[in-house]
Every structure is written in C-alpha cells, then in structure tokens.
Amino acid sequence: MLLSPIAGAANQTDINQELQQGGIIHLPAGNYTLTDSIILQSNTILEGEPGTVITIPDHAGWPAWKPLISGNGVQNVTIQNVEINANSNGNSETPHGAGYYNCIYMIDCDNVQVYNCTFHDGLGDGLRIKRSKNIEFYNNLVYRLGHEGFFGIESQYIECFNNRITTRTNSGLRIWNSANVRFHDNVIDAQLDAGGGDPGIQIEDSKGTVSNVEIYNNVLNRTWGKGVWLVAYDAGVSNTQKVLIHHNLFYEIGQSYNIPSTGGIVNDGFQGTQIYNNVFDGVKK
C-alpha cells in the first residue's frame, strides 16, 4: 500500500487506517508531520525510502509517554528505512529524558525488527521496549536524542548490532532487568558538550533477572562518561548476572571532567562478569 505525505492530522490517520489492513505500508519520500501517534498493528511492515521523514510540529503539547510510533501487544512488526526527526528544538519547553516524544515505544510485543532507520533530535528514546521479546535493532543511525538510542526494559532475546550511535543526555544502548541480550558490532561515541550523556552501554538489574548478556566487537570511542556501566540495585546485587564483555575497543573513554566515575568498564555490584580480550587506549578515570 502506497501513501503520500500530507500536511497535518491526515498523516497518521491515513497511516493508521492502512496499518489496520496489515501487510506492507510504504511511505514515499516527504515529511509526515504527526499530530497524534502512529499505532502499530501485528503482521505489518512500515517502511520508507530515502527522504521519508516522520516528525512532530513545534510546541506539539503531547503528554508524557505518548510516542511518535506506538505498539501495544503486537507481534511480527518491522520498521525500516524511515527517518524520525523528533524535533527537540521546536519543543524546547519540554525536558530531555522525562518520557516525552519517544520515537518508538512498544510494550508487550513479540518479534520486532527496526533497521536501516535514522533517529535524531529527540527528547526521549529512539526505540524503547518493555516486557517484550525477540527484538532486533540494527543498521540504524542515532544522534541528538534526549535519552537512549535503544532501551530494553524487562524484556528478553534482544539483539542490537551494526548501529552508529552518538549519545546525548544518557546512553547509547541500555537494558533494565532484561535477559538473553547481545550488543555487538556497534560504534558508539558522544556529543562532546555538556549534553553528552554518560555511558556508551548501560546494563542494570534491580530484580535479579539480568542473565546471559554478551557485549562484543563494539567500538566505544570518546564517550562522555563510562564505556560500559554495570549497575545492580536491591535484589540484583546478590544475583549472578552472567555478563560477557569481550573483543571491544575502548578509545579515549571519559571525555567529561564533571562525571565522578568514568572508565572503560565500571562495575557497580554485578556478579559473575567475565571481561577478556578487550583493548583500552587512552581511557580516562
């Protein structure tokens, strides 16, 4: 199904009507300015082409946790070849990292692929996933967001690879209470100013549910804070998380002088972590 870029509310209305039918929804090149969320349906592909841009207007006034693209309880969904410009400059009255204007937010979903997309100029996450499984996030370009490039919460079977991410506000790739995760072959650096964020990769456990996490073949280059940060809270402190960190390059990590704890890999409470065959060059403490 082929749609045309139209100004205003008709954008998401037409897209949502086509998504209800399932199949492939193709967005030709053009700006699609949303005044409401795109609502994903099961067994669909939402795709664009060079020049397909999804954005929001200045001073959009949306409430917290209302994303540009939303999915709840859906399965077998692909998003590909789309640029999402979440227009943080035009919504500067809204804070970074407080749940506003996430590019994609999916809850209770299964079998999701997001690839060959560009995420930029946002106040929230690129792809935020909660209580979901079988997630792939790859070949994406991410910069000038207001939280994470990818954030997986209480989810399983996650793979993020071949992404090019520049952090702003927080981290590039992050999981919370998630298991069976592979982060590999990504290049992550930082916006080198006061908004540069902190770690390239962040792994957190507050319930003792993190397990089988592997971080390998990544290039972490001039991050603002840590390269990889492992943090265990509460019940997570006594759990054996089984994290493998190997064959990564950490280059000039810790560019900020205002973050009290930097380093190539910083481990705050994780048990059973194996770290081997990494290269550290010019890492700052």
Side-chain angles (χ1 to χ4, degrees):
M1 298 176 185
L2 184 68
L3 294 175
S4 299
I6 329 170
N11 278 318
Q12 72 276 347
T13 300
D14 284 0
I15 294 169
N16 288 335
Q17 286 177 348
E18 298 298 341
L19 284 168
Q20 291 283 346
Q21 307 303 314
I24 300 173
I25 312 305
H26 183 83
L27 305 180
N31 287 335
Y32 296 78
T33 302
L34 308 181
T35 57
D36 204 349
S37 299
I38 294 172
I39 308 298
L40 297 168
Q41 305 293 329
S42 293
N43 305 311
T44 52
I45 297 173
L46 180 64
E47 67 174 19
E49 59 186 49
T52 299
V53 181
I54 294 173
T55 188
I56 57 174
D58 293 350
H59 315 297
W62 294 12
W65 306 114
K66 183 180 182 65
L68 278 68
I69 300 177
S70 176
N72 286 274
V74 298
Q75 59 184 358
N76 305 323
V77 173
T78 296
I79 302 172
Q80 62 186 18
N81 302 319
V82 171
E83 177 182 345
I84 301 180
N85 174 0
N87 191 15
S88 56
N89 286 345
N91 291 275
S92 58
E93 67 275 11
T94 307
H96 290 72
Y100 292 90
Y101 309 119
N102 291 308
C103 296
I104 306 171
Y105 189 11
M106 304 185 71
I107 302 173
D108 297 322
C109 296
D110 183 15
N111 194 20
V112 175
Q113 292 186 327
V114 177
Y115 63 93
N116 292 343
C117 294
T118 299
F119 302 87
H120 65 95
D121 290 277
L123 294 164
D125 299 307
L127 173 59
R128 185 183 183 99
I129 289 280
K130 188 173 183 179
R131 297 192 306 269
S132 298
K133 61 182 179 179
N134 300 318
I135 310 302
E136 291 187 333
F137 182 79
Y138 61 96
N139 293 351
N140 299 296
L141 174 63
V142 179
Y143 59 95
R144 289 185 59 81
L145 292 184
H147 203 229
E148 267 69 51
F150 171 89
F151 191 6
I153 305 164
E154 299 174 358
S155 297
Q156 291 199 51
Y157 301 103
I158 294 168
E159 186 174 16
C160 298
F161 60 97
N162 289 344
N163 298 293
R164 179 67 177 86
I165 302 174
T166 298
T167 64
R168 181 172 76 161
T169 307
N170 210 34
S171 58
L173 302 173
R174 180 182 179 186
I175 60 167
W176 186 296
N177 296 336
S178 297
N180 304 305
V181 178
R182 302 287 179 269
F183 288 164
H184 64 93
D185 297 285
N186 302 285
V187 177
I188 303 175
D189 61 9
Q191 178 176 307
L192 296 179
D193 59 24
D198 192 344
I201 296 174
Q202 189 167 341
I203 312 294
E204 293 169 280
D205 188 354
S206 65
K207 294 183 177 180
T209 55
V210 172
S211 182
N212 191 25
V213 175
E214 190 171 8
I215 301 168
Y216 62 98
N217 290 349
N218 300 287
V219 175
L220 294 119
N221 173 35
R222 306 193 79 192
T223 57
W224 198 234
K226 307 142 186 81
V228 174
W229 190 15
L230 311 175
V231 190
Y233 316 92
D234 304 324
V237 173
S238 59
N239 187 53
T240 301
Q241 282 89 2
K242 297 182 182 177
V243 177
L244 304 180
I245 306 174
H246 62 92
H247 294 94
N248 302 285
L249 171 61
F250 297 87
Y251 177 71
E252 294 188 357
I253 299 298
Q255 292 294 306
S256 173
Y257 292 97
N258 297 317
I259 296 174
S261 175
T262 61
I265 301 169
V266 176
N267 187 346
D268 289 330
F270 265 53
Q271 306 295 318
T273 304
Q274 297 183 41
I275 300 170
Y276 58 91
N277 289 342
N278 299 283
V279 175
F280 300 87
D281 183 0
V283 173
K284 299 180 181 181
K285 296 182 179 179

